Amino acid sequence: MKTALLDIGSNTIRLVVYQPEGGALNPVYESKENARLISLVQAGRLPEAGIRRLSQWISQMKAQAEEQGAQKLCCFSTASLRGIQNQREVLDAVEKSCGVRIHALSGEQEALCDFEGLKAAAGTPALIGCDLGGGSAQIFSSGSEGLQWWASLPIGCLKMTNEYVEGFLPTAEEESQLRSAVRQQLLSQPRLYENSYDTLYLTGGSARAALRLAQNLLGQQTKLVPREGLRQLIRRLRDENENVRALLTRYVPGREEIILPGMMVLDEISHAAGVKQLSVEEYGVREGYLIRHVLKNR
């Protein structure tokens, strides 16, 4: 049975239609909207105009899922709707307008879904992982008995860009302020500094965009990126004053302004975790949600 997942993120709204076969999760259709929903929030609320736009996007993607023959549609939101003051109003308005009920994930629920997705991708339950989204970052570690600790921190790439960067790329002063803010958030999680893993497993659109840049600008051949490779990539983009916009538009369209701040966030997380390399995985919160909330309920 084809199952459609609609992921309401802070930066993008993404529809993926899956055809589960055996133990595999096979995506057969995908579309996305660079909605930047978090930028529509005003004074902690999503205003009526934002609710209407969200409903329009969901209606369009619901129609796409039906055209693809999806027999079930599941919809969830992450940090995009987690902290808004009128969340219940938004959820009810969308359900009334579109006939779609949004499952607003808590930080813990999102971390659990990330863990399920990364565990399936990495083939091991023992890992340290991170899902860097537009509004937040879910960071967690796990062992053979499951999730050991998790944190949902407000250091998403779009949020940090909006708060600390005025131009296309961060200035040296803006980068310093951004990194300092990230470090302050990370220091609130002492267990992050206690791990002994070599590899930080990453998921999410920003991590995959960073991998594409590493592959095209640094000649990276695999999904594994040494931490020094990430830092080299950051330096390369900072130095490409004349060509950087064209490079980012070519390789990471839709993320041109947020990818460098996002990589700076990842660099700070990697440093705090003490890892040597990063592994960028295809499975993440959507696949984890499918495993936890759809396949297990059949």
Side-chain angles (χ1 to χ4, degrees):
M1 180 176 71
K2 284 185 179 179
T3 299
L5 281 187
L6 191 51
D7 176 359
I8 312 298
S10 298
N11 187 49
T12 62
I13 299 176
R14 189 180 298 266
L15 170 72
V16 183
V17 178
Y18 293 91
Q19 178 71 69
E21 295 179 1
L25 306 176
N26 299 316
V28 296
Y29 177 81
E30 184 171 345
S31 68
K32 73 172 182 177
E33 179 72 40
N34 290 318
R36 301 203 169 183
L37 190 62
I38 195 174
S39 297
L40 302 179
V41 175
Q42 299 176 5
R45 299 173 62 86
L46 186 65
E48 288 188 11
I51 296 174
R52 287 196 298 271
R53 290 181 66 181
L54 175 60
S55 297
Q56 290 171 355
W57 286 320
I58 292 177
S59 293
Q60 292 170 2
M61 290 191 170
K62 178 184 178 183
Q64 293 173 22
E66 292 172 348
E67 290 173 0
Q68 294 299 315
Q71 297 157 291
K72 184 179 181 65
L73 173 65
C74 300
C75 180
F76 66 88
S77 65
T78 52
S80 55
L81 302 180
R82 183 177 299 142
I84 61 173
Q85 298 171 12
N86 61 333
Q87 183 192 86
R88 177 51 53 190
E89 175 190 348
V90 173
L91 300 184
D92 290 344
V94 168
E95 185 172 19
K96 181 178 180 180
S97 174
C98 310
V100 174
R101 190 64 179 173
I102 301 174
H103 183 182
L105 297 180
S106 67
E108 181 178 12
Q109 289 170 327
E110 184 177 356
L112 285 166
C113 289
D114 285 324
F115 165 61
E116 289 285 0
L118 282 177
K119 180 176 68 172
T124 175
L127 53 84
I128 182 168
C130 173
D131 179 0
L132 177 64
S136 67
Q138 272 54 241
I139 310 172
F140 52 89
S141 68
S142 61
S144 58
E145 297 182 357
L147 208 59
Q148 295 174 331
W149 73 272
W150 66 274
S152 181
L153 303 178
I155 53 174
C157 52
L158 179 56
K159 179 177 175 62
M160 301 307 287
T161 301
N162 288 343
E163 291 186 2
Y164 293 97
V165 183
E166 291 188 5
F168 181 68
L169 295 180
T171 64
E173 182 178 355
E174 289 171 339
E175 177 180 352
S176 177
Q177 293 174 346
L178 185 154
R179 286 180 178 272
S180 178
V182 173
R183 285 195 291 271
Q184 288 301 310
Q185 288 290 333
L186 297 178
L187 285 169
S188 71
Q189 303 297 322
R191 296 197 64 178
L192 174 61
Y193 298 82
E194 298 172 359
N195 84 89
S196 58
Y197 298 105
D198 288 334
T199 303
L200 175 64
Y201 289 88
L202 300 177
T203 187
S206 294
R208 287 188 280 271
L211 178 61
R212 286 198 300 276
L213 286 173
Q215 290 172 333
N216 286 281
L217 301 184
L218 302 181
Q220 183 69 37
Q221 298 298 315
T222 71
K223 65 180 182 179
L224 291 173
V225 180
R227 180 164 176 260
E228 180 53 39
L230 175 64
R231 306 191 80 179
Q232 180 183 352
L233 184 58
I234 292 171
R235 291 193 297 268
R236 167 80 181 271
L237 291 174
R238 281 188 308 208
D239 294 341
E240 287 279 356
N241 294 327
E242 295 183 2
N243 300 321
V244 64
R245 187 183 293 267
L247 284 173
L248 295 177
T249 300
R250 178 179 180 183
Y251 295 122
V252 290
R255 296 182 182 272
E256 295 94 333
E257 296 179 7
I258 64 175
I259 186 59
L260 187 54
M263 289 192 294
M264 293 171 180
V265 174
L266 290 176
D267 185 42
E268 291 296 332
I269 296 171
S270 302
H271 175 70
V275 299
K276 299 177 181 178
Q277 62 184 5
L278 303 89
S279 181
V280 182
E281 306 295 340
E282 287 298 321
Y283 280 13
V285 65
R286 286 183 294 275
E287 291 75 16
Y289 189 90
L290 187 65
I291 292 169
R292 285 183 61 82
H293 296 283
V294 180
L295 299 182
K296 286 185 177 180
N297 292 331
R298 289 184 176 177

